[in-house]
Amino acid sequence: MPTPSEGRTAGRAPGTRPQFALALSGVVRRYAQGQGALEILRGADLGITHGQSVALVAPSGSGKSTLLHIAGLLEHSDAGEVFIDGAPTARLPDAERTRIRRLSIGFVYQFHHLLPEFTALENVAMPQMIRGLGKKEAEARAKELLSYLGLGARLTHRPSELSGGEQQRVAIARALANAPRLLLADEPTGNLDPKTSDHVFGAMSELVRATGVAALIATHNLDLAARMDRRVTLREGKVVELA
């Protein structure tokens, strides 16, 4: 697969090489439309290595969310393969796909979806406890992540007591709480004002670098995208590398 400096196409990622945290190979996704089918992805290929951040910049309706859902094993493709850490996932049963999502993939959305009745600390500790970690250890890691994101003084605050930017930083900490191998974010700063957006994005980027997670982040913000390691787009259902 070409590196960012080796041409403009994202290239076919064979996916069997474990250095790819995420590899898509020939991914096709179509939806029924009347008597025919609308093909959103037409053989999409992409490979992302550990510690690499990739911006997915494309117009609305181009298939960004579909690509993220397939990469995150939330949706099945109609053809092709999705490799997580070199392991194929397309034919796995749903229970195993759920296990991989829980252990290896973190998600951040445009809206934080925090549990309103729990504090920031509890929102970040909970996924770890569901995974089986003890409460004391889970809360210690939650405190560490939130403090890293500048929220050390807001641990006991509930979402309604936090600003929009603070809520989104809690959501980022929650997504990374279980030390995933892959972070997928869909317009994570799209609901924030420019100054807050820049601050949240900077905090997320620092945490991505610090943890070595691979990150695929869909965004309309070209300034933020320019700060990432690579930029890709979708053209006619294929992933294309941007300069």
Side-chain angles (χ1 to χ4, degrees), residues 41-195:
L41 300 176
R42 305 175 181 179
D45 303 315
L46 176 66
I48 304 176
T49 58
H50 294 287
Q52 189 176 59
S53 60
V54 178
L56 175 58
V57 184
S60 298
S62 62
K64 293 195 306 296
S65 293
T66 297
L67 184 73
L68 287 172
H69 289 169
I70 289 173
L73 309 186
L74 292 169
E75 188 173 333
H76 287 273
S77 62
D78 293 297
E81 186 57 90
V82 178
F83 298 89
I84 304 294
D85 269 341
T89 63
R91 294 174 179 80
L92 293 177
D94 286 342
E96 179 61 14
R97 289 166 64 90
T98 298
R99 188 190 72 82
I100 293 172
R101 282 199 306 272
R102 186 174 66 248
L103 298 180
S104 300
I105 305 174
F107 297 90
V108 182
Y109 299 99
Q110 182 173 347
F111 299 99
H112 54 78
H113 299 301
L114 299 176
L115 297 173
E117 66 271 30
F118 295 104
T119 66
L121 184 72
E122 291 166 339
N123 266 282
V124 179
M126 193 172 301
Q128 302 173 72
M129 295 169 65
I130 291 173
R131 184 178 178 179
L133 207 62
K135 181 179 179 181
K136 185 176 181 180
E137 192 175 353
E139 288 186 345
R141 174 163 171 76
K143 182 177 180 180
E144 181 183 12
L145 284 168
L146 289 167
S147 296
Y148 190 94
L149 290 169
L151 296 172
R154 311 289 275 169
L155 302 178
T156 60
H157 290 67
R158 290 181 169 80
S160 61
E161 301 171 303
L162 301 173
S163 69
E166 289 171 335
Q167 291 172 357
Q168 197 65 321
R169 278 183 280 163
V170 174
I172 292 166
R174 180 184 58 185
L176 293 170
N178 281 330
R181 308 288 281 171
L182 173 65
L183 177 69
L184 300 173
D186 195 355
E187 296 290 348
T189 62
N191 199 39
L192 304 174
D193 64 81
K195 183 177 179 180

Side-chain angles (χ1 to χ4, degrees), residues 46 48 52-58 64 201 215-219 221-222 224-233 239-242:
L46 176 66
I48 304 176
Q52 189 176 59
S53 60
V54 178
L56 175 58
V57 184
K64 293 195 306 296
F201 185 87
L216 177 60
I217 301 174
T219 180
N221 191 318
L222 297 180
L224 297 183
R227 292 159 55 183
M228 301 182 70
D229 296 323
R230 291 166 54 202
R231 288 149 296 282
V232 299
T233 190
V239 180
V240 177
E241 201 86 29
L242 296 173

